[in-house]
Structure formats: C-alpha cells, structure tokens
Amino acid sequence: MVAIIPIPVLADNFIWLIHDGRYAVAVDAGSAEPLLARLEALKLTLSAVLCTHHHADHVGGNAAVAARCPAPVYGPANETIPARTVPLHGGETLTLPGLALSCRALAVPGHTLGHLAYVVETPEETALFCGDTLFAAGCGRVFEGTMAMMWASLSTLRALPETTRVYSGHEYTLSNLRFARVVEPDNAALAAREAAVQALRAAGKPSLPSTLAEERATNPFLRVEVPAVQVAARAHSGLPCETAAETFAALRAWKDGFR
Ligand code: ZN
Ligand code: FE
C-alpha cells in the first residue's frame, strides 16, 4: 500500500510525502525540520525529493535534507534548485527510487519558467503534484512566463484522466473559492464545494487532494470555455474574451487584484 500524506509547513505550504511504510519520496521540501521529524516518527527512509520549482517555500529545506539523507533530488534543469542531483526538463518518465513507482515529469511553465508537475502512479491512484501551477479552485500567479504559457500548462493538466488526484503546493482553497463564486455565482457544484471545504477547514483538515473532475466542475481557470465564465471575464475586464486563452488572461488579471 502506498499512502500520500501532507506535512503542513511555513504559512500554508504542503510537503507531500509518498510512502509505502519503508521508503518515502518527498515533493517540495520547503522546510527541512518538519520533514525530517516526520520521516523519523514514521521510521521511513527518504529515497528521493521531487521539486516543482525554485521558489524558497518549495526548495528551502533541500540543502539541510540532502545533508542528512543521501537521496537524489530531482528538479527543473533551468532553475536554481539547491542540492539538485537530477535535472529534468519535463517529458521524462522515471522510476521513483525505493518505491519503484512510475513518475512522469511534465513541463508546466508560467508561474516560473521551469516549473514541473509530476504524475505518480501508485497501486491506489494516479497522483498529480502540481506545485504552484494548479490549485484547488484556482491557479498560481504568472510570475515568469506569459499568460499563454500558463494557459497551455493548465490545459495539459486538465487533459489528465478525471480521476487523477490533485496535490497542490498550498492550502489556498477557501480564498480561491471566494473568487470562483464571484465569477460563477450560479454554479451549484461550486456552492456545494465551498460548503464542503468550509467544513473540512473548520475541522482542521486540509482541503487537498481534490480530483481533476472536481476542478473541471468548479475551478474557473479550467472553465474558460464556459459561456458564464466568459461573460463574467468580459464584464470585468472590458476585453473581448472570445477565446479560452484570452478569457484565462482576463480571469488571472482579475484574480491578481481580487481581495
Ligand atoms: Zn511558487
Ligand atoms: Fe509557493
């Protein structure tokens, strides 16, 4: 059996730990101590670190983890990733050390230029680790790439099987849902999701993972072909919003200024 557990770190980041009771692969070691403590508590041997992108809240623990654990560190080739031993460009298929699970790296530029997502096949599920590209009910800010690049990356992720479970880098779901509800006030699935996530958060539980099916039904950034979303984006931006890419760009700019 393979389990995937969250380690909440920093303000609202997740380190995701994929483990089989003996070996563990960590996704985005943003902070070393909580990860090392969890490995010790669960008596797990760290067999790899997967890095999605170079921001400190995702790789800040790499050096200290690498100093303690002789595990390979995978990460974007064209970004500065501390302690990286295996540079990736996206498009590679790996076998995760220790766990012997298949893992595909996908290039998803936009938030950063080298941003990678990882699709891991466990006996139980297909798991997508998407860092700051796709969030539950939202998406990352476009810092380094272009809006067109980010839209293409989200389209790549949206095309994965709908049962794929989505493991994002941050707990941003409630504030994302607040924006989504303004964009699509009449989406009943969105109202239901907001109630469900409020209950989870009130109980101190993470809102992740979600599924791609849920994201397709409620994430406005994956719904830019839906007429109601286009109408809302057009009304707010004053731009034509005739294509998915234009609507995405208008929606992302709207969210950047949304409080
Ligand atoms: Zn980031
Ligand atoms: Fe981040």
Side-chain angles (χ1 to χ4, degrees):
M1 202 207 110
V2 173
I4 302 176
I5 59 174
I7 306 174
V9 297
L10 307 173
D12 45 32
N13 280 78
F14 290 117
I15 299 174
W16 292 106
L17 201 62
I18 313 163
H19 78 87
D20 65 0
R22 281 179 65 198
Y23 292 103
V25 171
V27 183
D28 281 349
S31 179
E33 278 315 312
L35 171 57
L36 294 169
R38 190 68 68 95
L39 291 168
E40 189 163 314
L42 298 177
K43 307 214 177 321
L44 298 169
T45 301
L46 187 71
S47 59
V49 177
L50 304 178
C51 310
T52 61
H53 67 293
H54 69 89
H55 288 160
D57 59 316
H58 298 260
V59 300
N62 280 15
V65 169
R68 289 270 299 273
C69 310
V73 176
Y74 298 78
N78 54 351
E79 296 190 354
T80 303
I81 306 290
R84 184 192 57 217
T85 58
V86 188
L88 299 172
H89 295 272
E92 297 89 348
T93 298
L94 337 157
T95 301
L96 294 179
L99 297 176
L101 299 175
S102 161
C103 171
R104 272 192 304 142
L106 305 175
V108 287
H111 179 72
T112 66
L113 283 173
H115 201 302
L116 297 175
Y118 299 93
V119 179
V120 176
E121 304 290 345
T122 82
E124 288 82 13
E125 64 182 286
T126 300
L128 168 66
F129 299 93
C130 44
D132 290 356
T133 298
L134 176 64
F135 291 128
C139 73
R141 284 181 187 257
V142 179
F143 286 128
E144 296 177 10
T146 63
M147 291 288 193
M149 232 179 228
M150 186 67 159
W151 168 240
S153 295
L154 289 171
S155 302
T156 300
L157 299 183
R158 186 177 66 169
L160 293 168
E162 67 170 17
T163 53
T164 304
R165 303 233 278 172
V166 177
Y167 296 84
S168 307
H170 290 267
E171 179 62 63
Y172 286 162
T173 315
L174 276 183
S175 65
N176 287 339
L177 284 166
R178 213 160 45 75
F179 175 73
R181 294 271 280 145
V182 172
V183 176
E184 271 194 290
D186 299 328
N187 181 337
L190 195 43
R193 187 176 189 188
E194 191 175 41
V197 171
Q198 277 167 347
L200 281 172
R201 300 301 295 140
K205 292 180 182 155
S207 63
L208 294 160
S210 66
T211 65
L212 264 186
E214 279 181 275
E215 297 309 326
R216 285 180 200 165
T218 57
N219 188 325
F221 295 98
L222 301 189
R223 294 173 56 76
V224 288
E225 293 95 340
V226 173
V229 174
Q230 297 199 336
V231 166
R234 195 176 298 135
H236 184 270
S237 67
L239 299 170
C241 297
E242 274 158 7
T243 66
E246 280 173 3
T247 306
F248 170 77
L251 215 52
R252 187 56 264 180
W254 179 4
K255 175 80 161 57
D256 286 347
F258 184 80
R259 292 289 175 272

